[in-house]
Amino acid sequence: MEQFGDRRKFLRTSGVAALAAGAAPLIGKAGVAQAGTSSPRHGFGPVRQIDAGVLSQGYVELGPANGRPVILMHGFPYDIHSYEEVAPLLAARGYRVIGPYFRGHGSTTFKSASTPRNVDQAAFAVDILALMDALGIRRAILAGYDWGSRTADIIAALWPERVKALVSVTGYLITNLAFNKEPLEPAAENDWWYQYYFTTDRGVAGLTRYTSLMGEFIWKFNSPTWKFSDATYARTAAAFTNTDYVPIVIGNYRWRLSLAPSEPEYADIEAKLQDAPPIAVPTITIDGKYDPFTPDGNGSSYRSHFTGKYRHRTFDVGHNVPQEAPREFAQAVVDADRMS
């Protein structure tokens, strides 16, 4: 297994993993798939491909082509199916809904085998900006959780002209590398066990060998009240067969702990992000009441980072807010749009 200092070699893995994924009133339940069914009744696909930046990005698109754009971004270990109920709800309201796979997930692949599999937080933001450009989207509502929140927060902070409004689960998630070197209290450190596991060769081997089991275990820990079905998890786990999945996941978590080097091409962006830039676009932040990573204080711990129009909500769910509370999440998107 590779050592920390040899990340670039490790992340140059290549391959193609194609994945094909399989409108309702916003408040009502008619026409919306229930957890555990094979697919939403009105479909959530097909997955499309488009060249954008260094990637061939896979994404789903719902709603009218001339609708107000909404980009829905997933986290780890999740995929676009976190939005399989949210997207049709928004499409029924006239939004043009885009749900992309992040690099290393699903059908999103690198156009060149020689392209470094960069994992800095800035890389994911640049990917989404490239996708917006490729789709002809000048400005969009951005919504996400986990890696998706971080990516949306970065774009909203540094490219506010591209963001009409923001919905961010767990608030302000832009990574501060210096802060991440500081230890937390033992109980909090325990919640992040897999990040430390991934810093070891054993962790790389574990994620490689038990990719699906690892994701399912983390799902159960992250969302202790969510009774998802085997079929629901299997739809998402298919996205983890991408050849770049393990390198991207391992590399990103090592980067966050300063155990992998930042890439020079993102140096200017990262320098700005390390200063914790404020977010001035209209924003709704969301916490999951049973999410182990939700900070205390009902959003107060990150409130000062949002300087524009702002609302905060807490839902009785865990970490994967859009899939656990799809109607409430969709409503937050609509309400954030109305704030702008």
Side-chain angles (χ1 to χ4, degrees):
M1 293 295 177
E2 53 93 34
Q3 299 301 310
F4 298 148
D6 196 24
R7 178 174 72 92
R8 182 177 289 276
K9 180 179 178 181
F10 178 59
L11 296 180
R12 282 184 182 274
T13 58
S14 63
V16 176
L19 175 68
L26 187 57
I27 301 303
K29 294 185 177 180
V32 179
Q34 302 302 308
T37 58
S38 60
S39 64
R41 296 177 190 172
H42 294 288
F44 188 63
V47 174
R48 308 182 186 191
Q49 294 294 134
I50 191 168
D51 286 348
V54 300
L55 302 175
S56 170
Q57 288 206 36
Y59 68 100
V60 293
E61 179 169 346
L62 289 77
N66 63 348
R68 296 185 299 285
V70 178
I71 299 178
L72 305 174
M73 289 170 280
H74 66 81
F76 165 85
Y78 306 95
D79 83 326
I80 62 174
H81 288 89
S82 290
Y83 297 102
E84 65 181 346
E85 293 187 35
V86 172
L89 292 172
L90 293 173
R93 291 293 293 263
Y95 289 96
R96 180 188 181 189
V97 184
I98 310 294
Y101 283 113
F102 278 141
R103 55 175 55 197
H105 294 71
S107 64
T108 291
T109 59
F110 289 83
K111 293 188 293 185
S112 172
S114 63
T115 299
R117 273 45 176 169
N118 292 338
V119 292
D120 309 42
Q121 63 181 340
F124 296 86
V126 170
D127 288 345
I128 295 301
L129 289 169
L131 177 64
M132 291 174 66
D133 290 342
L135 293 174
I137 297 173
R138 183 184 67 84
R139 194 165 173 248
I141 302 162
L142 302 185
Y145 70 101
D146 198 85
W147 290 21
S149 287
R150 179 172 296 106
T151 302
D153 289 351
I154 291 170
I155 298 172
L158 299 187
W159 292 276
E161 70 280 1
R162 305 299 299 269
V163 183
K164 188 174 188 290
L166 172 68
V167 175
S168 183
V169 174
T170 327
Y172 192 89
L173 287 187
I174 296 175
T175 297
N176 183 289
L177 295 173
F179 178 82
N180 273 8
K181 293 180 180 179
E182 295 296 321
L184 303 173
E185 294 182 359
E189 294 282 29
N190 182 67
D191 292 342
W192 297 103
W193 66 271
Y194 59 88
Q195 294 202 21
Y196 310 130
Y197 181 57
F198 291 161
T199 68
T200 68
D201 291 345
R202 184 185 181 100
V204 177
L207 182 61
T208 301
R209 183 181 302 177
Y210 303 113
T211 307
S212 183
L213 286 176
M214 179 74 70
E216 185 177 17
F217 185 85
I218 294 173
W219 272 35
K220 292 176 180 177
F221 176 80
N222 287 357
S223 300
T225 62
W226 184 30
K227 306 304 179 184
F228 57 88
S229 69
D230 291 343
T232 295
Y233 178 70
R235 283 196 295 274
T236 286
F240 307 156
T241 62
N242 186 311
T243 308
D244 290 314
Y245 177 76
V246 171
I248 293 297
V249 170
I250 295 293
N252 181 259
Y253 283 112
R254 291 183 175 188
W255 175 86
R256 294 190 204 180
L257 295 175
S258 297
L259 296 175
S262 295
E263 299 298 336
E265 66 185 281
Y266 306 118
D268 290 344
I269 297 174
E270 285 299 340
K272 295 175 183 177
L273 295 176
Q274 297 315 299
D275 288 334
I279 294 175
V281 304
T283 298
I284 292 178
T285 58
I286 298 171
D287 284 342
K289 182 178 179 180
Y290 303 107
D291 182 351
F293 308 113
T294 292
D296 294 331
N298 197 32
S300 61
S301 63
Y302 50 72
R303 173 66 181 89
S304 63
H305 291 290
F306 299 94
T307 58
K309 296 179 181 178
Y310 179 84
R311 297 177 190 169
H312 176 75
R313 296 172 183 178
T314 299
F315 301 150
D316 289 337
V317 298
H319 189 69
N320 185 359
V321 173
Q323 200 161 1
E324 296 179 64
R327 288 186 295 149
E328 293 86 348
F329 191 91
Q331 188 65 58
V333 172
V334 173
D335 292 344
D337 180 26
R338 291 169 175 167
M339 291 164 61
S340 60

